Amino acid sequence: MKQRFDIAIIGSSFSGSILAWILAKQGRRVLMVDSATHPRFAIGESSTPIADMLLARLGERYGLTELVDLASFGRWQQTHSNLACGMKRGFSYFDHQSGCSGLAESFSGQRSLLVAASPSDQRSDTHWYRPDVDAFFFQQATAAGTHVRQAVAVTGLTQNHDGSISICLGDGATESADFVVDASGRANVAARAFNRPSLVERLQTRTCASFAHFHDVGSFSQRFNHLHSDRRASVPFDADDAAQHHVIDDGWVWMLRMNNSVTSVGVTSSTQGRSGAALAATIARTAEQLDQRFAKYPDLHQVMRDSTVIAPASGITTMSQLQRFYDPVVLENCLLLPATAATIDPLHSTGIAHSLAGVDRIARLLLGQQRAATIHDYRHRVLDETVHLDRLVSAAYRCLHSFSRLTTACMLYFAAAIGSEESIASGNEIRGLWLSDDPQFVAIVNESVEILDSDSSDANANSRIRKLIQPWNTAGLLDDRVANRYAYTATK
């Protein structure tokens, strides 16, 4: 007789594989299906203090020491140096202007910002080289007893009379499970199979992106220091050891450096309010910017000019719209992980944290009691977090015209992130990430966004928002005296 599984997981990227690993180790009969195989190219690589705290908590709760090992750069290098990653001391930002002869500042912090998220290299966050990391988690799930079907697509899902779900596969086979978790990401297998409507029109953020992995990307911190004959891109940490943001016209460029000579580089552009020919032109220009190695921006071009694309095999990838949004509860026994339910934008590196929070919530749901109440809570949390994060991200995009104003918008996000970090570090259960469950903070965000969208001067907006976030500002954000150089802000 064909085996009936307790849980079927669609997709085997890091979130699907970690969930399968947890559930299989707890004695559940788990099926994991994926249309592709490992290793494979993927983006969504930048971890954060929240993500690392959640990874360590999952490892400690379920006895998976490997997760704890990968929760900081130093321990990662000691225990799993065979898995490529990058050191991420924090976030760095540089303001470029097309046609400008260079990025020289009149004073430190005028066109640059460094925000430290960790106090040392050893305790640093990481960039995940996803071909290695996803394959590792997949192997752990398999070794724990997960039944795996690779290189076979899910072609349909059907709810049976007894409540179980039949999973139709591309090779003609059919499996069944009492519960289905969709970790398929952009494919949105379950939402599409059950004809669930997209909620993307509720989001304010609208962006497109082009990206790839490169070899021979030069050091931007060295370039910036050379321009100024000092070390302003190396204090309080080297700006290359970060989620590096390069602000350009209508968008920004990310650079994430791995320790295997690979650099993940991508460019996103705002498409808000554009349609038809204008939208098509923006998407084409975004791809062209990366293909031409940002030729219009001298200092950015300098570090990219000799680089070569090494992945994916098809070359630079372009997505005409990054955003997606679905109700994470498809059926009472069919849930979407957060990265499948919603994607906003990579601006604040929130994807890994949101995914791990989903793994934590669904694992506790499936291994515990009071399922109906927990499912309702899961829906509420994911929807609220998505809308809250969208508000923070979309406000930042509307501030791209002014680096000073963008800095203020980013500090609003950092206040939210640090508040969550402090709550998790105190041992609290995960409620709303980025303070999305705090009505007072949500109201402050709404008021701050109105200020950022107003004709208030940059200095006035900074001053007003600094006063608004004061009750949550434990890290001294928006301090004019630090010249946009923030030492250790996290509580990890």
Side-chain angles (χ1 to χ4, degrees):
M1 294 179 63
K2 186 172 292 188
Q3 182 178 7
R4 176 163 158 176
F5 294 93
D6 297 318
I7 302 102
I9 299 173
I10 304 170
S12 64
S13 63
F14 75 86
S15 56
S17 291
I18 292 174
L19 180 60
W21 183 11
I22 290 169
L23 296 173
K25 187 168 182 181
Q26 296 298 311
R28 301 305 190 266
R29 295 167 297 175
V30 183
L31 169 69
M32 187 161 58
V33 182
D34 200 300
S35 60
T37 60
H38 292 282
R40 62 198 187 204
F41 172 82
I43 60 169
E45 302 143 307
S46 187
S47 188
T48 59
I50 293 175
D52 289 340
M53 290 175 182
L54 296 180
L55 194 68
R57 178 177 287 189
L58 287 169
E60 292 162 356
R61 177 176 289 154
Y62 299 108
L64 308 178
T65 57
E66 295 87 347
L67 297 184
V68 181
D69 292 339
L70 299 180
S72 63
F73 180 79
R75 188 160 174 175
W76 184 318
Q77 295 308 296
Q78 293 170 4
T79 59
H80 293 87
S81 60
N82 58 309
L83 302 179
C85 71
M87 183 191 302
K88 182 189 174 186
R89 286 293 309 277
F91 296 79
S92 60
Y93 303 78
F94 299 92
D95 180 35
H96 300 259
Q97 297 174 4
S98 61
C100 180
S101 59
L103 186 53
E105 298 181 317
S106 300
F107 53 88
S108 182
Q110 179 189 24
R111 299 174 65 186
S112 62
L113 166 68
L114 274 69
V115 182
S118 55
S120 67
D121 293 354
Q122 287 294 305
R123 294 172 62 186
S124 174
D125 302 320
T126 50
H127 304 307
W128 293 8
Y129 182 63
R130 293 281 301 276
D132 281 7
V133 176
D134 286 14
F136 174 76
F137 288 139
F138 174 79
Q139 291 161 4
Q140 301 308 307
T142 303
T146 300
H147 183 81
V148 173
R149 296 294 310 276
Q150 288 192 89
V152 58
V154 174
T155 57
L157 298 172
T158 305
Q159 189 169 36
N160 301 317
H161 294 300
D162 63 357
S164 65
I165 297 176
S166 291
I167 304 121
C168 300
L169 303 177
D171 60 2
T174 300
E175 305 285 358
S176 66
D178 295 327
F179 206 102
V180 169
V181 177
D182 188 349
S184 66
R186 187 162 293 274
N188 289 111
V189 171
R192 296 179 191 277
F194 290 107
N195 296 313
R196 295 302 184 258
S198 170
L199 308 177
V200 74
E201 293 304 318
R202 298 185 185 181
L203 302 179
Q204 299 178 41
T205 309
R206 288 287 187 277
T207 55
C208 63
S210 293
F211 49 84
H213 281 173
F214 292 79
H215 266 167
D216 297 322
V217 176
S219 167
F220 191 83
S221 63
Q222 290 180 14
R223 173 71 179 172
F224 199 70
N225 286 341
H226 176 74
L227 284 173
H228 299 90
S229 301
D230 59 25
R231 298 185 66 254
R232 68 181 64 191
S234 303
V235 178
F237 57 89
D238 191 305
D240 286 347
D241 296 331
Q244 199 168 84
H245 301 65
H246 297 279
V247 182
I248 61 175
D249 296 342
D250 291 330
W252 64 284
V253 178
W254 77 74
M255 288 186 182
L256 310 176
R257 298 168 190 273
M258 310 295 173
N259 59 4
N260 60 351
S261 301
V262 173
T263 301
S264 176
V265 182
V267 54
T268 70
S269 298
S270 175
T271 60
Q272 183 65 46
R274 296 170 191 170
S275 60
L279 175 60
T282 299
I283 296 167
R285 185 170 62 252
T286 300
E288 183 180 69
Q289 296 259 38
L290 186 54
D291 186 53
Q292 295 183 356
R293 306 299 191 268
F294 310 104
K296 295 180 179 179
Y297 304 91
D299 298 306
L300 196 51
H301 180 66
Q302 180 70 23
V303 302
M304 287 289 297
R305 65 180 184 179
D306 297 325
S307 64
T308 55
V309 176
I310 61 165
S314 57
I316 293 172
T317 298
T318 298
M319 289 185 178
S320 59
Q321 180 174 307
L322 290 177
Q323 291 69 44
R324 63 178 179 272
F325 191 18
Y326 289 88
D327 187 326
V329 179
V330 177
L331 301 169
E332 289 297 303
N333 61 339
C334 181
L335 303 182
L336 311 181
L337 274 169
T340 301
T343 291
I344 305 299
D345 189 88
L347 180 64
H348 295 319
S349 300
T350 52
I352 293 178
H354 211 191
S355 294
L356 293 176
V359 170
D360 177 82
R361 289 161 172 162
I362 293 178
R364 287 189 289 117
L365 183 157
L366 292 175
L367 296 172
Q369 307 297 323
Q370 300 178 335
R371 174 172 295 179
T374 308
I375 287 174
H376 173 78
D377 180 71
Y378 180 73
R379 167 186 276 139
H380 171 66
R381 296 299 177 197
V382 174
L383 292 177
D384 282 358
E385 287 163 353
T386 300
V387 171
H388 182 62
L389 183 60
D390 172 59
R391 190 176 295 112
L392 292 166
V393 171
S394 61
Y397 268 95
R398 293 193 297 274
C399 294
L400 286 174
H401 62 281
S402 164
F403 189 72
S404 174
R405 211 172 190 86
L406 174 64
T407 296
T408 302
C410 289
M411 291 301 157
L412 190 60
Y413 162 75
F414 285 124
I418 293 167
S420 278
E421 292 159 18
E422 291 175 342
S423 177
I424 295 169
S426 298
N428 297 326
E429 288 299 328
I430 305 166
R431 294 180 61 81
L433 291 182
W434 308 295
L435 302 182
S436 61
D437 62 328
D438 184 335
Q440 288 182 298
F441 187 80
V442 171
I444 290 301
V445 167
N446 291 336
E447 187 173 350
S448 297
V449 168
E450 289 182 3
I451 293 170
L452 291 169
D453 287 341
S454 73
D455 59 3
S456 175
S457 70
D458 292 351
N460 182 262
N462 179 296
S463 176
R464 292 168 66 186
I465 292 174
R466 182 172 62 246
K467 291 177 181 178
L468 287 172
I469 67 170
Q470 193 275 330
W472 299 271
N473 189 7
T474 59
L477 304 174
L478 295 174
D479 186 341
D480 295 334
R481 298 170 296 179
V482 302
N484 272 349
R485 297 298 187 271
Y486 292 88
Y488 183 41
T489 59
T491 52
K492 180 177 160 186

